[in-house]
Amino acid sequence: DGGITQSPKYLFRKEGQNVTLSCEQNLNHDAMYWYRQDPGQGLRLIYYSQIVNDFQKGDIAEGYSVSREKKESFPLTVTSAQKNPTAFYLCASNLGGLSNQPQHFGDGTRLSIL
Amino acid sequence: ILNVEQSPQSLHVQEGDSTNFTCSFPSSNFYALHWYRWETAKSPEALFVMTLNGDEKKKGRISATLNTKEGYSYLYIKGSQPEDSATYLCAHMNYGGSQGNLIFGKGTKLSVKP
């Protein structure tokens, strides 16, 4: 079935450690997005990529990094510079640009600090 | 309005009640308004993408309207059922800023009691 797969479902990070969240899609979508959700807040955009080998910072990119080497994959690294990484992370994809198509979401990764 | 605002924040209704929520968004440079349903332990699922002023869309017992001139959209659920319990998110896309990116509201959490 076509969809977006995020892994792992739960992730624990030690102080000073970088961790990478995986996002893979087989929908042949050009655009991919990473969001963060905190209690009582809406989804906030971390990074997005409209095409392979290109990505842009969203509203809260500090302390995060991404890569887009393949169309299907958009991994997110939470670096040690992100001082408050505990949150729920959602990956999404769609056709990109000013499209009337909705975004398709993964099931999310919950990141906690040990 | 600079951000996307949703009201109420939460809503508790009895099975069979009809209900509605509001999404307010900036009316300038409007391109599209998205509605998503997010059930607990699942990924957000697209309900509607609306682009034209006066648009009305329907999916079963759920319908939505759009007023781009005044910057609001209503989501209606007729005869609520327990399976309608979820958080309903709206998201706005405009021509300005980063094209193709969505700005999300905080959501309305609906609980339907049997």
Side-chain angles (χ1 to χ4, degrees):
Chain A
D1 287 346
I4 297 183
T5 302
Q6 288 187 242
S7 63
K9 195 168 184 177
Y10 299 96
L11 188 58
F12 297 91
R13 194 191 89 169
K14 294 180 181 178
E15 293 288 342
Q17 186 182 43
N18 293 354
V19 291
T20 298
L21 284 60
S22 170
C23 179
E24 303 277 332
Q25 55 99 359
N26 60 3
L27 298 166
N28 200 34
H29 284 163
D30 287 317
M32 297 187 74
Y33 309 84
W34 274 105
Y35 295 96
R36 169 180 170 139
Q37 191 202 30
D38 294 281
Q41 298 220 32
L43 298 178
R44 292 184 292 167
L45 184 64
I46 304 172
Y47 265 99
Y48 64 100
S49 168
Q50 294 286 343
I51 199 167
V52 175
N53 292 322
D54 186 54
F55 50 83
Q56 305 293 331
K57 292 181 179 180
D59 300 320
I60 53 166
E62 186 175 349
Y64 299 97
S65 65
V66 293
S67 62
R68 187 85 188 277
E69 297 175 2
K70 297 187 300 182
K71 188 175 186 177
E72 304 80 22
S73 179
F74 191 40
L76 174 74
T77 296
V78 184
T79 74
S80 56
Q82 172 49 246
K83 298 306 178 188
N84 186 23
T86 297
F88 187 72
Y89 292 86
L90 271 175
C91 178
S93 72
N94 71 354
L95 293 174
L98 285 174
S99 162
N100 290 338
Q101 298 302 309
Q103 291 187 4
H104 296 252
F105 288 87
D107 288 339
T109 294
R110 186 166 297 281
L111 176 62
S112 302
I113 298 299
L114 285 177
Chain B
I1 296 174
L2 298 178
N3 297 314
V4 177
E5 297 173 3
Q6 292 188 246
S7 62
Q9 188 175 0
S10 64
L11 196 54
H12 299 263
V13 302
Q14 288 293 135
E15 182 176 355
D17 288 349
S18 292
T19 186
N20 65 85
F21 331 129
T22 304
C23 173
S24 301
F25 53 86
S27 55
S28 60
N29 298 319
F30 175 86
Y31 183 78
L33 193 284
H34 293 216
W35 280 102
Y36 294 86
R37 174 171 58 199
W38 193 359
E39 295 179 64
T40 301
K42 294 187 178 181
S43 55
E45 172 196 358
L47 289 172
F48 306 112
V49 177
M50 307 173 77
T51 58
L52 297 176
N53 185 43
D55 252 355
E56 290 189 30
K57 296 210 170 181
K58 189 174 181 181
K59 193 175 187 176
R61 293 178 292 97
I62 304 177
S63 60
T65 62
L66 179 67
N67 183 322
T68 62
K69 295 189 186 305
E70 296 182 44
Y72 65 84
S73 174
Y74 294 137
L75 188 79
Y76 300 92
I77 301 179
K78 184 178 179 182
S80 301
Q81 299 297 308
E83 57 264 32
D84 295 328
S85 297
T87 296
Y88 291 82
L89 302 175
C90 76
H92 165 255
M93 181 187 294
N94 62 23
Y95 283 101
S98 303
Q99 291 190 352
N101 291 346
L102 292 173
I103 307 297
F104 282 85
K106 295 180 181 180
T108 292
K109 186 172 183 179
L110 174 67
S111 299
V112 183
K113 291 184 179 179

